[in-house]
Amino acid sequence: MAEQLAGLGLDTDFPGLKADVNVRGEGLVSLGAIRPEAAELLAELTTVGLSVKMAADAKSADTPAA
């Protein structure tokens, strides 16, 4: 997620953005302190991303196997 936000040029909206892993090796993203507008932007991006994924999953479920 940190890499994607930085790739979109949004690293300035998330100045404390840092990718890390926990003791089990699971990915973590720290946003640090962010402005309310940045939180809204992140919520919108997450909603759009999930909508696209759900649509793609539904389409692949409707496609018969060859």
Side-chain angles (χ1 to χ4, degrees):
M1 180 177 162
E3 186 177 292
Q4 295 296 320
L5 289 171
L8 292 170
L10 298 175
D11 45 343
T12 57
D13 289 307
F14 302 95
L17 187 63
K18 183 178 85 171
D20 204 348
V21 294
N22 65 16
V23 295
R24 293 182 296 251
E26 300 165 332
L28 300 173
V29 176
S30 175
L31 299 177
I34 60 172
R35 299 174 297 114
E37 297 84 7
E40 288 177 11
L41 175 61
L42 183 57
E44 289 174 24
L45 290 170
T46 302
T47 301
V48 170
L50 289 172
S51 297
V52 169
K53 181 175 181 344
M54 289 173 62
D57 289 349
K59 184 177 180 180
S60 67
D62 291 339
T63 305

